[in-house]
Structure formats: structure tokens, C-alpha cells
Amino acid sequence: EGLKCCLSEFQKQLAWVERLDVTLGQVADPISQSASDKDAVDPENDFQREMSFYRQAQAAVLEALPKLRKLQVPTRRPDDYFAEMAKSDQQMQKIRKKLKSKQEAMEKSEKAKQLRAMRKYGKKVQTEILQRRQKEKKNMLNAVKKYQKGLSDKLDFLDEDQTLSQGNKKGNANQRIKKGPNAKRRYKNQKFGFGGKKKGSKWNTKESFNDVSSFQSKVAHNKGPRKAGKGGKKALNKRPGKRARQKMKSRAR
Amino acid sequence: GKWKNKERVLIFSSRGINFRTRHLMQDLRTLMPHSKADTKMDRKDQLFVINEVCEMKNCNKCIFFEAKKKQDLYLWLSNTPQGPSAKFLVQNVHTLAELKMTGNCLRGSRPLLSFDPAFDKEPHYALLKELFIQIFSTPQYHPKSQPFVDHVFTFTITDERIWFRNYQIIEEDASLVEIGPRFVLNLIKIFQGSFGGPTLYENPHYQSPNMHRRMIRLSVAAKFREKQQVKEVQMIKKKESKVLVGEDPTEVVFETPAEEKPVEIQLVKPESKPIVKDKKKPRKIQRKKQKKLFRTE
């Protein structure tokens, strides 16, 4: 031990500027649990170890730079100072290329992941959109058919984004006559449309009996303006009622 | 200014080094402008010949790489005329040329040396610290040096070894990037003289690489031998004569013999039972279809 002490004194005593050595612990890290306890650093844990070295270097730099500035030793290289570097430019190019390629690979994989996620989501969205489009088409066609059948004389369906339910509710008096469970009938109409369900259209039900929508008084009393053709049509259109016919019969006899 | 601190370091190696060591040597030569190179030394010559080589080259420090068995790398650091010298085992060598080391520094710029506080605690570490300072710090106003200080060497003691790193100082707020070679030194011995002389310190934690390899082989062999022994013990157990357990008189207590059935001899084949179709169980064909559907789903 004593020999060691003597020998260490045997070493040179130089000004700090010559040696530029700093003996310091690490920069106090707010993240690390034990700032001063270096033994906590597990040498097997590569990241922790390297970080401890890094922090030690940082501490040394932070202490030494002010000292150097005082001694007027330059630490920053001016921009126009060109000198040979420890690594050649070629080497630095290689390094830059490698870093770039790494970053690009990462970005690619990220994009691929996103694409995969998007595709799943996109498929769902696509099906929804298709369904919506089909619904709109159906509604449009229904509205057109209704107009054709004379049930609604409004051309509102040409304006986009008008819901069918609105049309039903605000509908003409003609439509209101549809008694019974309106919601159910409306739903069935919507589902099967006009030109769809035909089987149940000519039932002699209370609704159809009470339905006088197809009664046109001018036609019945032969009062309205004739549309086309006289003569032959008159006899066909105007068939007298039962009592009138009986009277005619009895009178004829 | 005038160059006063006349330090010259001779960096060379023995024969039989591999490419990584050669690159490390070259890296050290580029990083230290106060270094001189020399040809490879023959293994035949004794180590103290190195002192004469240093004197011829007018160097007062020496870094000597010695490779043994094409596997192990030893490093000698010495102060050549009379001073102390130290022998290390070098591990985990990474050179300047590795693409993960992204920093760069001026060739010949002076380094800042950063030491672990543990270097001041033990006398042998203090001696090593002094040695490192004298060898690795570039003298001020050296003709080949650049006046800037833009990189820092760190020496840290972890796991009873000395870890060396070289960082580039980018910003004044101490953001660093690793440049340079990195290696781990495992101290073996410190001698009083240069490449010889009485031993001042011997590292108790040091295990020579041969011993290390031997330990590994022994552990593997020990495992195998243990397995063998266990097998042998099992064989012996099997071969042992089995102990006969005496008859238990109370065993008969729980025996209740069943009634004897009359012996029936069937001469006529029994009627075959009518096959009742289990309609709940799906037929074979249907079951096959179900299986197919299940598989395609």
C-alpha cells in the first residue's frame, strides 16, 4: 500500500489545463430512484449502464466548460474552420445512410400497420356506405313511383336529402285516409314499396269500403269536362243506378 | 503557445491480433496525436525489450496490445523508463467504424477526461487514474493537435471493471453523441517497473479467460455427471430386493362374497334387438355436412 502511495506521488504534477481531467459523479437524474448510489446500476442492464456513463460524461462537461471558457480555451469550432476529422466524410455518409434507412424502415412498418388497421375499418365503413346508398336509391325510386301514381304532386324528391318519413307525415289529405295502424302500414309500404306487394291490394276491408278516394264526383255525375271522345263513351261511363234501372224496366213494361 | 508537456505514447501490438484489435489500435492512433506507431513485435522477445524500443522512438509512455490464442486480448499500459505499468484484459471491443457510433470529432483535438469518483477511493485506482491522465490527455500546443476541446473520454468503474467511452460534445448544454471506440478493461496486475518488476497490486476479482472457459466446461460436465448419478441411483433402487409385507389378518373382515349365479349355457343365438333410429342424432351424412361447414367457417 505504501509503495502505491509513493508511486502515485511519483507521477507528474501538471496544470489542470494540460490534463483536462474531471472526477465527478453523474448528473442528478430526476427519473432515477437513487441518484448518488452507483451500485444500483446493474451492469447487465445495458441501457441503464450506458445511461450512467452518459450522465457521468455530461456532469464532467458541465463542470469543465466554464473552466475552459475562463482559461480561454475554445470549445466550439467556428463554421469556417475546416480540418481533418477523426472519421472520414465517407464514413459519415455511410452512417447517415444507415440512420435514414432505419428510419424509413420504421416508417414503412408503421404505415403498413396503419393500412392494415384502416383496411379493417375501411371495409366496415364501405359496407355501411353501400347500404346507405342502396337505401337512398330505394327511397328515390319510391318517391318517383308515388309521384307517377299521383299520390304526391310535390317534386320534392328531386331535392336531395329529403326523408321519406317526412313526406308521409306531411302528406296530402288523400294519404291521411289510410286508417288503421299508420306506422305499420307505412312501414310495410316502405319495405315493399309500390309495385311490390300486390296480393293484399284488393281486399274488401273496412278501410277499402270507407275509402272514397277514388270517387270523383264530376265523373260520377257526368259533370266534368270530357277529356277525349264523346258518343260511345257516354253510354259506357254513365250506367244508371239500380233503382233508376228498375224504374226504366218497369216503365218499359 | 509553446509545447511544454512532452508526452509521447508508443502504440503497437504483438503478432496474432485479429482485425478488431487492429482497428482499435488504429483508432487510438487517430484519436491521440501524440502517439507513435511501430511494427509488430515478435512473441519470442521478452517484454522488457519493449522498453528499449520505446527509448529508440523517444517515447515515454506505451500502449501494447498482446493477443493470445487468437482469442484473448491483453493490454499493457506503461510509463517506460522506470514508472509503473499495468496489465489488463480487454473485452467488448467496438471500433470507430461501427455504424452505431454516429459522432465525429476533429482529428487531434484535445479530449476532456471524465473519471468515476470511485477512482479516488482506492489507491490502485488512483494510480491507474494518474496513468490514464498522462497517457490519454493530449498535451497543450502539441503541433499535431487542434486547439478545440470537443470530445470527452469517460472512464467508469462498474462490475470491478473499467469501462471506456468516447463522446462528442455537440452543444454547450452537454448533449453528447458517442463517437469512438469502446472497450472494457479488466485489471490483472500492477507492476512497479515497466513491463516487469515487483507486483504492486493483483486484482482478486480477475479470472483469466482460460479459467473462465474451464469453469464453463466444468459446469456443463457437472450437469451431465449429476444426471448420470441420478440414473445410477435409480437403477440401484430398482434392483433392490423388494420387502415383503406380512399378511394382514384383519384383511378378510371386509370380504362379502356374492351369491352364486346358476350356470347358464346358451345353446340358441339370442334374438337381435330391433334397431331404433335415434332421430335426434343427426344422420351420418348430415353430420359430415355439419363437419364440413364447421371446418370452412
Side-chain angles (χ1 to χ4, degrees):
Chain A
E1 291 300 281
L3 272 166
K4 261 183 268 177
C5 291
C6 295
L7 264 157
S8 62
E9 273 145 19
F10 173 73
Q11 300 293 329
K12 289 193 215 168
Q13 313 291 335
L14 289 167
W16 183 81
V17 177
E18 283 291 335
R19 299 181 323 180
L20 292 178
D21 72 315
V22 180
T23 310
L24 251 193
Q26 304 164 39
V27 175
D29 197 23
I31 306 168
S32 73
Q33 314 96 321
S34 46
S36 55
D37 187 13
K38 261 286 293 310
D39 297 330
V41 173
D42 175 23
E44 303 294 327
N45 184 351
D46 290 342
F47 183 68
Q48 216 183 6
R49 197 186 56 216
E50 297 298 323
M51 281 315 289
S52 76
F53 299 159
Y54 187 86
R55 268 181 264 131
Q56 191 195 313
Q58 273 189 324
V61 169
L62 285 172
E63 185 176 311
L65 280 181
K67 275 197 212 172
L68 286 170
R69 244 172 265 144
K70 252 195 272 175
L71 293 164
Q72 286 164 352
V73 176
T75 49
R76 231 185 313 129
R77 193 162 58 108
D79 292 326
D80 54 355
Y81 190 99
F82 291 115
E84 199 180 349
M85 306 288 278
K87 294 191 195 174
S88 67
D89 284 339
Q90 222 181 23
Q91 179 73 13
M92 298 310 285
Q93 285 265 1
K94 254 201 248 175
I95 290 172
R96 250 173 259 140
K97 247 198 249 175
K98 182 134 195 260
L99 280 175
K100 229 202 238 179
S101 71
K102 256 201 208 171
Q103 218 185 4
E104 273 173 17
M106 236 181 53
E107 274 176 20
K108 249 199 216 177
S109 72
E110 277 288 323
K111 260 196 215 168
K113 260 195 227 169
Q114 272 189 357
L115 254 175
R116 259 180 274 139
M118 280 259 298
R119 250 187 248 149
K120 268 196 189 174
Y121 178 71
K123 182 98 184 186
K124 212 172 40 158
V125 168
Q126 197 183 39
T127 51
E128 277 181 23
I129 285 174
L130 282 174
Q131 278 180 352
R132 201 169 9 114
R133 275 198 209 139
Q134 278 179 344
K135 254 198 220 168
E136 279 182 18
K137 184 174 171 190
K138 198 168 75 166
N139 291 343
M140 184 67 116
L141 284 176
N142 279 349
V144 169
K145 271 189 200 161
K146 265 206 226 158
Y147 179 73
Q148 282 178 342
K149 298 218 175 176
L151 284 170
S152 65
D153 47 358
K154 288 189 272 185
L155 284 171
D156 289 339
F157 58 85
L158 286 177
D159 301 331
E160 284 173 11
D161 294 21
Q162 197 166 41
T163 54
L164 189 62
S165 55
Q166 268 192 349
N168 262 343
K169 277 181 190 159
K170 288 186 193 169
N172 307 329
N174 297 334
Q175 303 243 172
R176 284 265 184 82
I177 293 170
K178 275 195 184 125
K179 286 181 191 170
N182 264 340
K184 186 177 176 183
R185 194 67 265 169
R186 258 192 289 132
Y187 167 72
K188 287 221 170 160
N189 282 340
Q190 203 177 36
K191 191 169 179 192
F192 302 108
F194 296 93
K197 187 175 184 189
K198 282 186 181 140
K199 284 197 177 169
S201 61
K202 286 194 178 178
W203 284 347
N204 198 8
T205 59
K206 190 162 72 174
E207 291 102 14
S208 73
F209 187 77
N210 291 334
D211 182 16
V212 286
S213 57
S214 51
F215 176 79
Q216 296 168 352
S217 71
K218 287 194 179 162
V219 171
H221 300 297
N222 200 17
K223 285 275 159 63
R226 303 296 303 283
K227 272 206 287 188
K230 295 184 181 182
K233 288 233 176 155
K234 182 187 175 178
L236 283 165
N237 270 348
K238 184 69 178 163
R239 182 172 175 249
K242 190 174 178 182
R243 284 287 284 165
R245 274 185 276 131
Q246 276 183 349
K247 269 192 192 164
M248 283 163 70
K249 222 170 154 188
S250 64
R251 223 178 268 165
R253 274 206 211 131
Chain B
K2 220 177 160 237
W3 171 34
K4 291 202 189 101
N5 182 17
K6 306 274 167 109
E7 288 282 350
R8 286 180 206 89
V9 183
L10 184 67
I11 305 183
F12 71 122
S13 72
S14 71
R15 309 195 96 214
I17 52 172
N18 64 354
F19 67 97
R20 217 186 290 273
T21 318
R22 200 168 10 96
H23 278 280
L24 177 63
M25 207 169 58
Q26 282 172 356
D27 295 340
L28 284 177
R29 280 185 199 149
T30 53
L31 285 177
M32 294 165 36
H34 57 292
S35 63
K36 287 197 180 162
D38 197 22
T39 54
K40 285 185 238 173
M41 191 191 83
D42 234 351
R43 206 88 59 67
K44 288 184 284 178
D45 307 330
Q46 311 265 340
L47 281 174
F48 55 76
V49 172
I50 300 178
N51 292 322
E52 291 169 12
V53 176
C54 284
E55 211 182 298
M56 279 209 295
K57 287 257 170 168
N58 193 16
C59 291
N60 57 353
K61 294 283 185 305
C62 177
I63 299 180
F64 178 61
F65 289 95
E66 189 180 357
K68 289 234 171 106
K69 281 190 176 182
K70 294 192 185 173
Q71 279 172 342
D72 314 320
L73 176 65
Y74 297 99
L75 174 73
W76 287 88
L77 289 179
S78 125
N79 179 21
T80 25
Q82 322 96 318
S85 54
K87 185 175 181 188
F88 302 91
L89 174 69
V90 186
Q91 291 166 320
N92 292 6
V93 176
H94 294 265
T95 57
L96 261 183
E98 294 203 357
L99 289 175
K100 294 216 173 153
M101 318 278 196
T102 46
N104 200 356
C105 67
L106 279 173
R107 185 175 247 206
S109 65
R110 299 183 60 212
L112 193 59
L113 300 170
S114 156
F115 291 94
D116 202 359
F119 271 101
D120 286 335
K121 288 185 191 155
E122 304 273 313
H124 56 273
Y125 283 141
L127 182 60
L128 285 179
K129 177 179 158 184
E130 190 57 42
L131 204 56
F132 288 144
I133 292 173
Q134 290 196 10
I135 290 178
F136 286 104
S137 62
T138 307
Q140 209 181 15
Y141 310 122
H142 190 281
K144 282 194 203 159
S145 72
Q146 305 281 352
F148 304 102
V149 175
D150 63 352
H151 63 292
V152 52
F153 288 165
T154 40
F155 298 87
T156 325
I157 298 180
T158 313
D159 193 24
E160 317 294 338
R161 281 160 233 234
I162 301 173
W163 302 69
F164 173 87
R165 296 283 182 275
N166 179 14
Y167 295 101
Q168 176 194 8
I169 305 169
I170 303 179
E171 288 293 320
E172 300 285 303
D173 67 347
S175 53
L176 308 168
V177 178
E178 187 155 2
I179 313 165
R182 36 152 97 171
F183 48 88
V184 178
L185 298 174
N186 201 349
L187 175 65
I188 305 175
K189 277 187 181 179
I190 304 182
F191 302 99
Q192 192 184 354
S194 165
F195 293 102
T199 312
L200 287 174
Y201 178 77
E202 193 174 335
N203 186 6
H205 307 280
Y206 170 71
Q207 189 190 54
S208 90
N210 284 330
M211 285 299 295
H212 183 70
R213 287 186 278 257
R214 186 160 177 266
M215 298 297 285
I216 292 175
R217 254 181 283 141
L218 279 178
S219 70
V220 169
K223 255 198 230 172
F224 182 70
R225 215 175 291 138
E226 211 182 289
K227 275 191 204 168
Q228 290 261 351
Q229 276 181 353
V230 166
K231 268 192 197 170
E232 275 174 20
V233 168
Q234 280 181 348
M235 296 274 281
I236 291 170
K237 267 194 187 173
K238 271 191 197 170
K239 282 188 186 165
E240 264 177 17
S241 55
K242 297 199 179 137
V243 178
L244 282 176
V245 178
E247 213 180 286
D248 186 11
T250 55
E251 202 184 321
V252 200
V253 174
F254 292 105
E255 270 182 28
T256 47
E259 277 181 20
E260 269 200 35
K261 271 192 190 171
V263 181
E264 270 187 39
I265 304 170
Q266 288 190 345
L267 294 167
V268 183
K269 182 180 163 186
E271 287 177 12
S272 57
K273 278 196 275 186
I275 303 169
V276 179
K277 269 196 180 175
D278 185 8
K279 289 198 176 158
K280 289 202 177 166
K281 213 177 173 185
R283 293 199 319 244
K284 249 191 185 173
I285 305 165
Q286 270 200 341
R287 261 189 286 161
K288 269 193 182 172
K289 276 194 188 163
Q290 277 187 0
K291 272 192 185 171
K292 251 195 187 175
L293 278 172
F294 186 75
R295 234 180 271 142
T296 51
E297 268 171 42

